[in-house]
Amino acid sequence: MERSANALDERSKRVLWAVIESYINNPGPVGSRYVTKKYAFGYSPATIRNIMADLEEMGYLRQPHTSAGRVPTDKGYRFYVEHILEEEIGYHSDFAKTILRRFKSIMQDMESILSETTKTLSALSHYMAMAVSPGPEGVTLRRIELLPYKEDRIAVLILTDEGIIRHHIIKNEFRLSASDLSRITNFLNREFAGYTIKDIKEELINEMIKDKEEFDTLVDRALRLCTEAIETYGANIFITGLTEILDFPEFADIERIKELYRTIEDKHNIIKLIDKIAHSEGVQVIIGTENPIKELHTMSVIASTYKDKDRPAGVVGIIGPKRMNYISAISLVDTAARILTKILEEGGEGWKRRK
Amino acid sequence: MERSANALDERSKRVLWAVIESYINNPGPVGSRYVTKKYAFGYSPATIRNIMADLEEMGYLRQPHTSAGRVPTDKGYRFYVEHILEEEIGYHSDFAKTILRRFKSIMQDMESILSETTKTLSALSHYMAMAVSPGPEGVTLRRIELLPYKEDRIAVLILTDEGIIRHHIIKNEFRLSASDLSRITNFLNREFAGYTIKDIKEELINEMIKDKEEFDTLVDRALRLCTEAIETYGANIFITGLTEILDFPEFADIERIKELYRTIEDKHNIIKLIDKIAHSEGVQVIIGTENPIKELHTMSVIASTYKDKDRPAGVVGIIGPKRMNYISAISLVDTAARILTKILEEGGEGWKRRK
DNA sequence: CGTTAGCACTCCTCTCCATCGAGTGCTAAT
DNA sequence: ATTAGCACTCGATGGAGAGGAGTGCTAACG
């Protein structure tokens, strides 16, 4: 009955698949009899038990306690999603329709779109949804405006190609007049428009401050002013739909909820996760302990990057229990990423109206 | 032993006070013996029992079940906070210091300040904190800017006296040029600066659209454009610190947490609550069933309005279990409201630097 | 007449234990 | 290799009983 440690024959695969599907559809360990009833394999429970014992030995399943049914391990889920990912991922047209309809009515800045996306995504998937806006390296400055605000304040408006808008208030340290500001604005746009925020932040400003002696004081002041506004630029994280997953039996334990809530409230935590996803191609599935965030070891994350000019811009995804409907979740996330990529593409040409 | 239905003699008051304080300090019904031990009244438990029975009859206390200790009713808490409110409310200087220190470093727009305020408030009180930014009727337009953005988009920037900044993207339906926009901007500022958003929304625009024939088409277009941007203006609600109250024994029940979370996630819900508070003077305490929101019947809300030009602008407050430390919570909320009022006052004169 | 000691009683909470049932692992038969 | 049969394990369920906190009542007291 010995079989090589990692090779799964066809029959084992089918049983493993059956166990995982059963477990996803209703919680609680799945037993050998249930599998034989639900899936007509043509084997008796005893045979299935043998196979399940093998699968356990190989690390795909485990027993919560002796004489309970089997439950998939992270390795088991991994097997399951690998097979899903091999298939063509279905474009989720319901989702696409819903979300495009919403966008048509708002047609707002990118971050409003991301916020709407997470809402739609969590409503349709019944899991938590998250989205991350492009970071400094993925955002190209289109226009910067310095406007006189209050007596000693200036409002800085940053408009980007990606449809992200940020405003910022800075002190008018040098008591610059409206016409000064207008001149500075022109200068800034001439110098910096078309560069990414990251480039502006790291290279240009440093460089120009270095040989500032060559410039007149107004330019020097312009650089100092916009430094503060530029430096605060950071990606925004949107997370919605905690209520959606609250009813899953895996959150019957109150400590779990508290832990989860604390984890997502601390958004810096999520950054770690994003890095892992941002530089990979296609839909990423992170199961349980594969997650760098310890608090999410009981959860699965499905995420994908959306792109701008063929470079990864931001991340969109779903967070749910490990026992989640991977097929529909993967399809939803993939669709979301495609839509966001499309919006950015069209945005580059001026956000043409969809027909 | 009968005594008139609502009059509390001095001794009863002292006992009631003792029971409530005991209950606030540690959960679980408080018994007659505990009271005599902890507070040296000079009476035996039996006497206290009699008094407590009277207090129960009058509706200030109740028994969770026969032969348990007493627990305050909402009426009991009401008695308690009325006495607190009669006293001079202590200015919470720790809080004031902390928050002013933070503001000094950010010195940002009003909504960032509100966001920071809730964070500090929840961290210091260990309850949930909320804040509401001024609504359309409390916000005076200082400046509006229309900037060409993408090919067929215009970015609208709204700057207000209260330090609230909003940006909005609208369609450039009329293919207006940069110089058109600049002329429109001038026109809008000339006409509307100094009015509240509400006034602009309701009266001015309607009026001007009515006799639009008298105006040239550019003005007509200007009005239409800014209508959309103005109309979306709404108050923002900030709520932080759910994690702070998660550990209180009243949330040992998982359903309670879910319910609470759903309640605060639906921000429209909170609006109802705000109305009740916004038009009252001083610190408001809303105990349990006094709350118009049914889901908050097990909670208490402590809130106060902050003002701008002597008119109520927004609301800041704390949400916690009924069994909460009212004395410190009231002091914190009062201090927060005063600070925000002060910031708005100073903002009116140009956000002068604090010395 | 208010106050107090004493005592029976109530009701919650915790723990223990028996039962039940689902599901396994093993063995022997096919 | 597969299967039927069976003993066994372990969690879940629920009832019984002990323990304890606290009350309400009564009768005695100053």
mmCIF file of all heavy atoms in Angstrom, chain D residues 6-20:
data_model
loop_
_atom_site.group_PDB
_atom_site.id
_atom_site.type_symbol
_atom_site.label_atom_id
_atom_site.label_comp_id
_atom_site.label_asym_id
_atom_site.label_seq_id
_atom_site.Cartn_x
_atom_site.Cartn_y
_atom_site.Cartn_z
ATOM 1 P P DC D 6 -20.232 -7.840 13.033
ATOM 2 O OP1 DC D 6 -20.544 -9.185 13.552
ATOM 3 O OP2 DC D 6 -21.294 -6.852 12.786
ATOM 4 O "O5'" DC D 6 -19.150 -7.175 13.981
ATOM 5 C "C5'" DC D 6 -17.804 -7.668 13.967
ATOM 6 C "C4'" DC D 6 -16.916 -6.730 14.749
ATOM 7 O "O4'" DC D 6 -16.431 -5.679 13.880
ATOM 8 C "C3'" DC D 6 -17.623 -6.024 15.916
ATOM 9 O "O3'" DC D 6 -16.771 -6.026 17.037
ATOM 10 C "C2'" DC D 6 -17.845 -4.614 15.386
ATOM 11 C "C1'" DC D 6 -16.576 -4.441 14.553
ATOM 12 N N1 DC D 6 -16.648 -3.359 13.542
ATOM 13 C C2 DC D 6 -15.488 -2.626 13.275
ATOM 14 O O2 DC D 6 -14.456 -2.892 13.882
ATOM 15 N N3 DC D 6 -15.545 -1.635 12.354
ATOM 16 C C4 DC D 6 -16.687 -1.376 11.712
ATOM 17 N N4 DC D 6 -16.694 -0.386 10.806
ATOM 18 C C5 DC D 6 -17.884 -2.113 11.976
ATOM 19 C C6 DC D 6 -17.817 -3.088 12.898
ATOM 20 P P DA D 7 -17.403 -6.038 18.496
ATOM 21 O OP1 DA D 7 -17.643 -7.441 18.879
ATOM 22 O OP2 DA D 7 -18.510 -5.048 18.573
ATOM 23 O "O5'" DA D 7 -16.183 -5.476 19.345
ATOM 24 C "C5'" DA D 7 -14.845 -5.866 18.984
ATOM 25 C "C4'" DA D 7 -13.926 -4.657 19.077
ATOM 26 O "O4'" DA D 7 -14.179 -3.764 17.970
ATOM 27 C "C3'" DA D 7 -14.098 -3.825 20.354
ATOM 28 O "O3'" DA D 7 -12.822 -3.517 20.870
ATOM 29 C "C2'" DA D 7 -14.855 -2.589 19.876
ATOM 30 C "C1'" DA D 7 -14.335 -2.436 18.458
ATOM 31 N N9 DA D 7 -15.233 -1.735 17.546
ATOM 32 C C8 DA D 7 -16.577 -1.937 17.387
ATOM 33 N N7 DA D 7 -17.125 -1.167 16.482
ATOM 34 C C5 DA D 7 -16.068 -0.408 16.021
ATOM 35 C C6 DA D 7 -15.994 0.602 15.043
ATOM 36 N N6 DA D 7 -17.042 1.024 14.340
ATOM 37 N N1 DA D 7 -14.794 1.158 14.818
ATOM 38 C C2 DA D 7 -13.739 0.736 15.522
ATOM 39 N N3 DA D 7 -13.694 -0.211 16.468
ATOM 40 C C4 DA D 7 -14.898 -0.749 16.662
ATOM 41 P P DC D 8 -12.659 -2.853 22.277
ATOM 42 O OP1 DC D 8 -11.539 -3.519 22.975
ATOM 43 O OP2 DC D 8 -13.992 -2.757 22.928
ATOM 44 O "O5'" DC D 8 -12.202 -1.387 21.865
ATOM 45 C "C5'" DC D 8 -11.297 -1.226 20.755
ATOM 46 C "C4'" DC D 8 -11.223 0.242 20.403
ATOM 47 O "O4'" DC D 8 -12.270 0.573 19.465
ATOM 48 C "C3'" DC D 8 -11.397 1.187 21.595
ATOM 49 O "O3'" DC D 8 -10.288 2.059 21.655
ATOM 50 C "C2'" DC D 8 -12.701 1.914 21.308
ATOM 51 C "C1'" DC D 8 -12.777 1.848 19.787
ATOM 52 N N1 DC D 8 -14.160 1.929 19.237
ATOM 53 C C2 DC D 8 -14.417 2.834 18.211
ATOM 54 O O2 DC D 8 -13.504 3.539 17.774
ATOM 55 N N3 DC D 8 -15.679 2.915 17.717
ATOM 56 C C4 DC D 8 -16.648 2.146 18.205
ATOM 57 N N4 DC D 8 -17.869 2.257 17.674
ATOM 58 C C5 DC D 8 -16.405 1.219 19.256
ATOM 59 C C6 DC D 8 -15.169 1.144 19.745
ATOM 60 P P DT D 9 -10.089 2.955 22.960
ATOM 61 O OP1 DT D 9 -8.776 2.658 23.543
ATOM 62 O OP2 DT D 9 -11.314 2.908 23.786
ATOM 63 O "O5'" DT D 9 -10.008 4.378 22.261
ATOM 64 C "C5'" DT D 9 -9.589 4.484 20.894
ATOM 65 C "C4'" DT D 9 -9.959 5.855 20.371
ATOM 66 O "O4'" DT D 9 -11.277 5.825 19.768
ATOM 67 C "C3'" DT D 9 -9.991 6.943 21.430
ATOM 68 O "O3'" DT D 9 -9.328 8.072 20.919
ATOM 69 C "C2'" DT D 9 -11.477 7.192 21.644
ATOM 70 C "C1'" DT D 9 -12.040 6.892 20.262
ATOM 71 N N1 DT D 9 -13.464 6.444 20.224
ATOM 72 C C2 DT D 9 -14.308 7.000 19.288
ATOM 73 O O2 DT D 9 -13.963 7.837 18.496
ATOM 74 N N3 DT D 9 -15.588 6.497 19.311
ATOM 75 C C4 DT D 9 -16.092 5.531 20.163
ATOM 76 O O4 DT D 9 -17.260 5.166 20.083
ATOM 77 C C5 DT D 9 -15.157 5.006 21.120
ATOM 78 C C7 DT D 9 -15.594 3.962 22.094
ATOM 79 C C6 DT D 9 -13.896 5.479 21.107
ATOM 80 P P DC D 10 -8.740 9.168 21.889
ATOM 81 O OP1 DC D 10 -7.427 9.554 21.343
ATOM 82 O OP2 DC D 10 -8.882 8.735 23.300
ATOM 83 O "O5'" DC D 10 -9.742 10.369 21.625
ATOM 84 C "C5'" DC D 10 -10.022 10.760 20.272
ATOM 85 C "C4'" DC D 10 -11.293 11.573 20.241
ATOM 86 O "O4'" DC D 10 -12.441 10.702 20.280
ATOM 87 C "C3'" DC D 10 -11.446 12.544 21.419
ATOM 88 O "O3'" DC D 10 -11.680 13.832 20.910
ATOM 89 C "C2'" DC D 10 -12.632 11.990 22.193
ATOM 90 C "C1'" DC D 10 -13.425 11.307 21.084
ATOM 91 N N1 DC D 10 -14.362 10.262 21.549
ATOM 92 C C2 DC D 10 -15.574 10.072 20.886
ATOM 93 O O2 DC D 10 -15.846 10.780 19.916
ATOM 94 N N3 DC D 10 -16.430 9.113 21.333
ATOM 95 C C4 DC D 10 -16.108 8.361 22.384
ATOM 96 N N4 DC D 10 -16.979 7.433 22.777
ATOM 97 C C5 DC D 10 -14.872 8.538 23.078
ATOM 98 C C6 DC D 10 -14.034 9.487 22.631
ATOM 99 P P DG D 11 -11.536 15.076 21.876
ATOM 100 O OP1 DG D 11 -10.377 15.864 21.430
ATOM 101 O OP2 DG D 11 -11.654 14.622 23.282
ATOM 102 O "O5'" DG D 11 -12.845 15.871 21.470
ATOM 103 C "C5'" DG D 11 -13.065 16.163 20.089
ATOM 104 C "C4'" DG D 11 -14.547 16.314 19.834
ATOM 105 O "O4'" DG D 11 -15.231 15.082 20.161
ATOM 106 C "C3'" DG D 11 -15.210 17.418 20.669
ATOM 107 O "O3'" DG D 11 -16.078 18.159 19.836
ATOM 108 C "C2'" DG D 11 -15.966 16.646 21.747
ATOM 109 C "C1'" DG D 11 -16.316 15.350 21.032
ATOM 110 N N9 DG D 11 -16.448 14.196 21.919
ATOM 111 C C8 DG D 11 -15.535 13.742 22.840
ATOM 112 N N7 DG D 11 -15.941 12.678 23.477
ATOM 113 C C5 DG D 11 -17.192 12.419 22.956
ATOM 114 C C6 DG D 11 -18.114 11.385 23.270
ATOM 115 O O6 DG D 11 -18.003 10.469 24.077
ATOM 116 N N1 DG D 11 -19.283 11.484 22.495
ATOM 117 C C2 DG D 11 -19.509 12.453 21.562
ATOM 118 N N2 DG D 11 -20.660 12.393 20.925
ATOM 119 N N3 DG D 11 -18.654 13.420 21.260
ATOM 120 C C4 DG D 11 -17.519 13.344 21.993
ATOM 121 P P DA D 12 -16.712 19.512 20.404
ATOM 122 O OP1 DA D 12 -16.513 20.521 19.350
ATOM 123 O OP2 DA D 12 -16.227 19.742 21.776
ATOM 124 O "O5'" DA D 12 -18.251 19.147 20.462
ATOM 125 C "C5'" DA D 12 -18.800 18.257 19.483
ATOM 126 C "C4'" DA D 12 -20.223 17.910 19.874
ATOM 127 O "O4'" DA D 12 -20.214 16.716 20.701
ATOM 128 C "C3'" DA D 12 -20.945 18.989 20.687
ATOM 129 O "O3'" DA D 12 -22.286 19.087 20.242
ATOM 130 C "C2'" DA D 12 -20.850 18.473 22.130
ATOM 131 C "C1'" DA D 12 -20.891 16.971 21.920
ATOM 132 N N9 DA D 12 -20.211 16.196 22.961
ATOM 133 C C8 DA D 12 -18.969 16.419 23.483
ATOM 134 N N7 DA D 12 -18.605 15.549 24.395
ATOM 135 C C5 DA D 12 -19.694 14.689 24.476
ATOM 136 C C6 DA D 12 -19.945 13.552 25.263
ATOM 137 N N6 DA D 12 -19.074 13.060 26.148
ATOM 138 N N1 DA D 12 -21.133 12.931 25.099
ATOM 139 C C2 DA D 12 -22.005 13.422 24.214
ATOM 140 N N3 DA D 12 -21.876 14.485 23.411
ATOM 141 C C4 DA D 12 -20.684 15.071 23.608
ATOM 142 P P DT D 13 -23.229 20.212 20.869
ATOM 143 O OP1 DT D 13 -24.049 20.750 19.761
ATOM 144 O OP2 DT D 13 -22.411 21.124 21.694
ATOM 145 O "O5'" DT D 13 -24.174 19.385 21.831
ATOM 146 C "C5'" DT D 13 -24.715 18.136 21.384
ATOM 147 C "C4'" DT D 13 -25.551 17.533 22.503
ATOM 148 O "O4'" DT D 13 -24.689 16.743 23.365
ATOM 149 C "C3'" DT D 13 -26.245 18.569 23.399
ATOM 150 O "O3'" DT D 13 -27.611 18.230 23.523
ATOM 151 C "C2'" DT D 13 -25.492 18.471 24.718
ATOM 152 C "C1'" DT D 13 -25.015 17.035 24.710
ATOM 153 N N1 DT D 13 -23.786 16.782 25.521
ATOM 154 C C2 DT D 13 -23.749 15.659 26.313
ATOM 155 O O2 DT D 13 -24.667 14.868 26.396
ATOM 156 N N3 DT D 13 -22.574 15.504 27.015
ATOM 157 C C4 DT D 13 -21.465 16.336 27.007
ATOM 158 O O4 DT D 13 -20.478 16.078 27.683
ATOM 159 C C5 DT D 13 -21.585 17.500 26.154
ATOM 160 C C7 DT D 13 -20.465 18.469 26.069
ATOM 161 C C6 DT D 13 -22.728 17.662 25.456
ATOM 162 P P DG D 14 -28.627 19.285 24.185
ATOM 163 O OP1 DG D 14 -29.859 19.282 23.369
ATOM 164 O OP2 DG D 14 -27.916 20.551 24.445
ATOM 165 O "O5'" DG D 14 -28.944 18.583 25.563
ATOM 166 C "C5'" DG D 14 -29.116 17.169 25.631
ATOM 167 C "C4'" DG D 14 -29.148 16.743 27.064
ATOM 168 O "O4'" DG D 14 -27.788 16.542 27.542
ATOM 169 C "C3'" DG D 14 -29.768 17.781 28.010
ATOM 170 O "O3'" DG D 14 -30.522 17.116 29.012
ATOM 171 C "C2'" DG D 14 -28.547 18.464 28.622
ATOM 172 C "C1'" DG D 14 -27.610 17.276 28.739
ATOM 173 N N9 DG D 14 -26.204 17.619 28.860
ATOM 174 C C8 DG D 14 -25.549 18.701 28.318
ATOM 175 N N7 DG D 14 -24.277 18.730 28.619
ATOM 176 C C5 DG D 14 -24.078 17.602 29.403
ATOM 177 C C6 DG D 14 -22.908 17.117 30.025
ATOM 178 O O6 DG D 14 -21.766 17.582 29.992
ATOM 179 N N1 DG D 14 -23.158 15.940 30.727
ATOM 180 C C2 DG D 14 -24.379 15.311 30.827
ATOM 181 N N2 DG D 14 -24.423 14.205 31.549
ATOM 182 N N3 DG D 14 -25.484 15.771 30.256
ATOM 183 C C4 DG D 14 -25.258 16.919 29.560
ATOM 184 P P DG D 15 -31.649 17.924 29.775
ATOM 185 O OP1 DG D 15 -32.845 17.926 28.927
ATOM 186 O OP2 DG D 15 -31.089 19.205 30.255
ATOM 187 O "O5'" DG D 15 -31.887 16.982 31.035
ATOM 188 C "C5'" DG D 15 -31.517 15.608 30.984
ATOM 189 C "C4'" DG D 15 -30.807 15.236 32.277
ATOM 190 O "O4'" DG D 15 -29.406 15.573 32.167
ATOM 191 C "C3'" DG D 15 -31.326 15.945 33.524
ATOM 192 O "O3'" DG D 15 -31.504 15.015 34.568
ATOM 193 C "C2'" DG D 15 -30.253 16.969 33.835
ATOM 194 C "C1'" DG D 15 -29.000 16.266 33.334
ATOM 195 N N9 DG D 15 -27.906 17.150 32.953
ATOM 196 C C8 DG D 15 -27.966 18.250 32.120
ATOM 197 N N7 DG D 15 -26.815 18.839 31.953
ATOM 198 C C5 DG D 15 -25.930 18.088 32.734
ATOM 199 C C6 DG D 15 -24.531 18.250 32.950
ATOM 200 O O6 DG D 15 -23.778 19.103 32.483
ATOM 201 N N1 DG D 15 -24.039 17.274 33.807
ATOM 202 C C2 DG D 15 -24.771 16.272 34.380
ATOM 203 N N2 DG D 15 -24.115 15.442 35.175
ATOM 204 N N3 DG D 15 -26.078 16.103 34.190
ATOM 205 C C4 DG D 15 -26.588 17.052 33.353
ATOM 206 P P DA D 16 -32.152 15.437 35.929
ATOM 207 O OP1 DA D 16 -33.193 14.444 36.253
ATOM 208 O OP2 DA D 16 -32.460 16.879 35.912
ATOM 209 O "O5'" DA D 16 -30.932 15.220 36.915
ATOM 210 C "C5'" DA D 16 -30.174 14.011 36.861
ATOM 211 C "C4'" DA D 16 -29.134 14.037 37.963
ATOM 212 O "O4'" DA D 16 -28.020 14.855 37.523
ATOM 213 C "C3'" DA D 16 -29.624 14.657 39.273
ATOM 214 O "O3'" DA D 16 -29.096 13.932 40.374
ATOM 215 C "C2'" DA D 16 -29.120 16.091 39.204
ATOM 216 C "C1'" DA D 16 -27.832 15.947 38.405
ATOM 217 N N9 DA D 16 -27.510 17.106 37.567
ATOM 218 C C8 DA D 16 -28.368 17.867 36.811
ATOM 219 N N7 DA D 16 -27.786 18.851 36.152
ATOM 220 C C5 DA D 16 -26.445 18.721 36.504
ATOM 221 C C6 DA D 16 -25.305 19.466 36.141
ATOM 222 N N6 DA D 16 -25.330 20.498 35.300
ATOM 223 N N1 DA D 16 -24.119 19.087 36.673
ATOM 224 C C2 DA D 16 -24.094 18.031 37.514
ATOM 225 N N3 DA D 16 -25.105 17.261 37.917
ATOM 226 C C4 DA D 16 -26.264 17.661 37.379
ATOM 227 P P DG D 17 -29.532 14.301 41.816
ATOM 228 O OP1 DG D 17 -29.720 13.033 42.541
ATOM 229 O OP2 DG D 17 -30.619 15.300 41.756
ATOM 230 O "O5'" DG D 17 -28.241 15.021 42.378
ATOM 231 C "C5'" DG D 17 -26.945 14.510 42.062
ATOM 232 C "C4'" DG D 17 -25.906 15.483 42.586
ATOM 233 O "O4'" DG D 17 -25.676 16.516 41.588
ATOM 234 C "C3'" DG D 17 -26.309 16.207 43.871
ATOM 235 O "O3'" DG D 17 -25.199 16.263 44.742
ATOM 236 C "C2'" DG D 17 -26.718 17.589 43.380
ATOM 237 C "C1'" DG D 17 -25.786 17.785 42.205
ATOM 238 N N9 DG D 17 -26.237 18.726 41.208
ATOM 239 C C8 DG D 17 -27.513 18.900 40.719
ATOM 240 N N7 DG D 17 -27.608 19.834 39.813
ATOM 241 C C5 DG D 17 -26.308 20.314 39.691
ATOM 242 C C6 DG D 17 -25.781 21.334 38.866
ATOM 243 O O6 DG D 17 -26.389 22.031 38.049
ATOM 244 N N1 DG D 17 -24.416 21.501 39.061
ATOM 245 C C2 DG D 17 -23.652 20.777 39.936
ATOM 246 N N2 DG D 17 -22.364 21.073 39.989
ATOM 247 N N3 DG D 17 -24.126 19.816 40.717
ATOM 248 C C4 DG D 17 -25.456 19.647 40.547
ATOM 249 P P DA D 18 -25.399 16.754 46.232
ATOM 250 O OP1 DA D 18 -25.227 15.572 47.090
ATOM 251 O OP2 DA D 18 -26.615 17.576 46.348
ATOM 252 O "O5'" DA D 18 -24.139 17.705 46.419
ATOM 253 C "C5'" DA D 18 -22.921 17.392 45.723
ATOM 254 C "C4'" DA D 18 -22.108 18.664 45.576
ATOM 255 O "O4'" DA D 18 -22.640 19.452 44.481
ATOM 256 C "C3'" DA D 18 -22.120 19.562 46.815
ATOM 257 O "O3'" DA D 18 -20.800 20.014 47.060
ATOM 258 C "C2'" DA D 18 -23.070 20.685 46.435
ATOM 259 C "C1'" DA D 18 -22.870 20.778 44.922
ATOM 260 N N9 DA D 18 -24.018 21.280 44.173
ATOM 261 C C8 DA D 18 -25.321 20.875 44.264
ATOM 262 N N7 DA D 18 -26.136 21.510 43.436
ATOM 263 C C5 DA D 18 -25.307 22.385 42.765
ATOM 264 C C6 DA D 18 -25.557 23.338 41.764
ATOM 265 N N6 DA D 18 -26.760 23.556 41.244
ATOM 266 N N1 DA D 18 -24.510 24.056 41.309
ATOM 267 C C2 DA D 18 -23.293 23.825 41.829
ATOM 268 N N3 DA D 18 -22.945 22.956 42.772
ATOM 269 C C4 DA D 18 -24.005 22.262 43.205
ATOM 270 P P DG D 19 -20.516 20.881 48.342
ATOM 271 O OP1 DG D 19 -19.186 20.525 48.833
ATOM 272 O OP2 DG D 19 -21.706 20.814 49.221
ATOM 273 O "O5'" DG D 19 -20.443 22.336 47.709
ATOM 274 C "C5'" DG D 19 -19.717 22.539 46.485
ATOM 275 C "C4'" DG D 19 -19.693 24.015 46.173
ATOM 276 O "O4'" DG D 19 -20.876 24.352 45.398
ATOM 277 C "C3'" DG D 19 -19.717 24.926 47.402
ATOM 278 O "O3'" DG D 19 -18.820 25.996 47.181
ATOM 279 C "C2'" DG D 19 -21.165 25.367 47.496
ATOM 280 C "C1'" DG D 19 -21.572 25.415 46.024
ATOM 281 N N9 DG D 19 -22.983 25.208 45.757
ATOM 282 C C8 DG D 19 -23.844 24.339 46.390
ATOM 283 N N7 DG D 19 -25.058 24.384 45.923
ATOM 284 C C5 DG D 19 -24.995 25.336 44.909
ATOM 285 C C6 DG D 19 -26.001 25.809 44.032
ATOM 286 O O6 DG D 19 -27.177 25.468 43.975
ATOM 287 N N1 DG D 19 -25.499 26.776 43.163
ATOM 288 C C2 DG D 19 -24.202 27.226 43.136
ATOM 289 N N2 DG D 19 -23.914 28.149 42.247
ATOM 290 N N3 DG D 19 -23.257 26.791 43.949
ATOM 291 C C4 DG D 19 -23.713 25.852 44.804
ATOM 292 P P DG D 20 -18.520 26.987 48.386
ATOM 293 O OP1 DG D 20 -17.064 27.110 48.508
ATOM 294 O OP2 DG D 20 -19.355 26.578 49.551
ATOM 295 O "O5'" DG D 20 -19.118 28.340 47.810
ATOM 296 C "C5'" DG D 20 -19.164 28.566 46.396
ATOM 297 C "C4'" DG D 20 -19.997 29.789 46.142
ATOM 298 O "O4'" DG D 20 -21.363 29.401 45.830
ATOM 299 C "C3'" DG D 20 -20.098 30.736 47.342
ATOM 300 O "O3'" DG D 20 -20.095 32.059 46.866
ATOM 301 C "C2'" DG D 20 -21.449 30.383 47.952
ATOM 302 C "C1'" DG D 20 -22.249 30.094 46.687
ATOM 303 N N9 DG D 20 -23.426 29.281 46.889
ATOM 304 C C8 DG D 20 -23.596 28.277 47.818
ATOM 305 N N7 DG D 20 -24.784 27.726 47.754
ATOM 306 C C5 DG D 20 -25.424 28.408 46.724
ATOM 307 C C6 DG D 20 -26.729 28.244 46.197
ATOM 308 O O6 DG D 20 -27.594 27.448 46.554
ATOM 309 N N1 DG D 20 -26.974 29.129 45.154
ATOM 310 C C2 DG D 20 -26.072 30.055 44.682
ATOM 311 N N2 DG D 20 -26.486 30.830 43.684
ATOM 312 N N3 DG D 20 -24.849 30.219 45.176
ATOM 313 C C4 DG D 20 -24.603 29.365 46.180
#
